[in-house]
Amino acid sequence: MHGVFDATPNHAASRAQELGDMLRRRRESLDPNRLGLSRGGRIRTPGLRREEVATRADIGITWYTKLEQGRPIKVSPRVLVSVAQALEFSDVETEHLFRLAGLSTSPKLSKPSVCDPLSMASQAILDQLCPYPALIQTSRYNIRGFNEAYCRLVGVNLNAVPAEDRNCIYLALINPAWRASLVDPDEVIANMAALFRASMGEHLDDPLWERQLERYMGASERFRTTWQRYQLRGVENVVKLFHSPDGSVLTLQSNNWWSGPGNGERMVVYTPVNEESATGLKTMMKRKRAW
């Protein structure tokens, strides 16, 4: 596990001290009354007390005190996120905190939450791309946005799927209609497992990723078997094959665009690689919905 002092001694000590100063300054700037921490008597120090931060973060006061003092202690991503949330750090501030602690991107920054609404501008872009199927997904393959063409391509009305279940890998494992849209579902699952394993390597000890993996493992024996092969793949623009509702095969090129640096969220647009597939997409949009 990485910790505050996983570097050369002088540099690590300097980073640890800066981390402690960052925590202390934020703690002293917070208004206890605004946070519902009413106190009796005279307040002698500005901001929150250390024990109040520790309580809000659900950690020990001794541990938090050492962290704020820049002492030589280890810190896990999960605990550091709790401290950042207790002190109301923004995503940018939390990322800086993680860098000072010698840790990779924080779990908080590696989401975003599947419950976060997609912006109207992003949804408008997706809608305008029809008849090209398009979606916006996180690094954990949670689907944050999609257009009508994408729903028709995979044969699933994603509006009727609970937000927590809108995940490309999970639906490919458990949804019969989604699997039926794939020309070679076993190969797709193997590729997805390799992609997820490679991405997860950048988020070790992140409980969000661990829970996601547990869900995949519980949903499919084939995924469990594939996972044990220890294959890794990076995200690429590749050609994929889908069954069209009329029985023909659509040959589509996936095109990936990342929405911002570091957040892992990207838009994927499927474009036809030949005239037959271009015609197939237009025909698909004219057909009556399957749901």
Side-chain angles (χ1 to χ4, degrees):
M1 179 182 297
H2 299 291
V4 174
F5 288 84
D6 293 337
T8 57
N10 291 338
H11 182 60
S14 175
R15 286 193 315 182
Q17 188 60 55
E18 185 177 349
L19 184 150
D21 289 343
M22 184 179 180
L23 297 179
R24 177 179 56 78
R25 291 179 184 277
R26 174 53 60 88
R27 174 175 61 81
E28 293 176 350
S29 72
L30 293 177
D31 181 1
N33 292 322
R34 181 179 64 82
L35 298 176
L37 301 173
S38 58
R39 307 166 182 166
R42 183 179 177 183
I43 300 177
R44 297 183 179 180
T45 58
L48 303 186
R49 301 186 180 109
R50 285 174 177 167
E51 56 265 30
E52 291 171 332
V53 176
T55 298
R56 283 169 57 83
D58 195 25
I59 60 176
I61 175 60
T62 300
W63 188 94
Y64 175 77
T65 299
K66 290 181 178 179
L67 183 64
E68 191 175 291
Q69 291 175 342
R71 302 280 291 278
I73 61 173
K74 298 286 185 176
V75 55
S76 71
R78 186 181 310 186
V79 169
L80 201 57
V81 164
S82 296
V83 172
Q85 291 173 337
L87 292 171
E88 297 190 336
F89 282 152
S90 67
D91 284 352
V92 173
E93 291 168 328
T94 301
E95 185 170 11
H96 184 69
L97 189 69
F98 266 65
R99 290 197 185 105
L100 292 177
L103 295 168
S104 59
T105 305
S106 74
K108 181 179 180 181
L109 295 173
S110 67
K111 292 194 201 174
S113 171
V114 296
C115 297
D116 290 345
L118 193 68
S119 70
M120 292 179 63
S122 295
Q123 187 61 56
I125 293 172
L126 291 173
D127 293 338
Q128 287 297 315
L129 286 168
C130 285
Y132 294 162
L135 74 155
I136 294 176
Q137 64 183 16
T138 69
S139 57
R140 298 200 317 279
Y141 295 87
N142 291 327
I143 301 172
R144 298 198 62 233
F146 50 88
N147 61 12
E148 174 73 12
Y150 186 74
C151 289
R152 289 175 180 251
L153 179 67
V154 297
V156 176
N157 178 14
L158 289 169
N159 288 302
V161 176
E164 61 271 18
D165 292 340
R166 291 179 197 164
N167 179 281
C168 290
I169 300 179
Y170 182 69
L171 290 172
L173 296 175
I174 62 96
N175 189 288
W178 189 295
R179 286 181 58 83
S181 73
L182 307 174
V183 170
D184 191 342
D186 291 341
E187 180 182 358
V188 170
I189 290 173
N191 290 337
M192 285 180 166
L195 286 164
F196 191 82
R197 183 182 280 280
S199 297
M200 190 172 181
E202 301 176 6
H203 302 276
L204 298 177
D205 299 320
D206 186 330
L208 293 173
W209 284 78
E210 292 172 357
R211 286 198 296 269
Q212 192 85 61
L213 177 59
E214 289 174 2
R215 195 174 200 202
Y216 299 153
M217 292 289 202
S220 169
E221 181 179 356
R222 179 166 292 280
F223 185 90
R224 293 194 298 272
T225 301
T226 302
W227 185 260
Q228 297 305 319
R229 298 176 187 170
Y230 215 100
Q231 297 175 328
L232 297 95
R233 289 190 60 176
V235 175
E236 299 177 284
N237 296 332
V238 297
V239 173
K240 298 185 178 182
L241 303 178
F242 296 87
H243 286 300
S244 176
D246 64 7
S248 62
V249 174
L250 299 174
T251 306
L252 308 178
Q253 170 84 42
S254 66
N255 303 274
N256 294 268
W257 286 277
W258 277 258
S259 65
N263 70 357
E265 186 175 300
R266 70 183 189 275
M267 176 181 290
V268 185
V269 182
Y270 291 95
T271 55
V273 301
N274 51 45
E275 286 297 325
E276 292 79 7
S277 295
T279 301
L281 285 179
K282 294 177 182 178
T283 301
M284 179 183 73
M285 295 302 295
K286 293 178 181 178
R287 293 174 62 91
K288 185 178 180 180
R289 290 177 177 177
W291 51 86

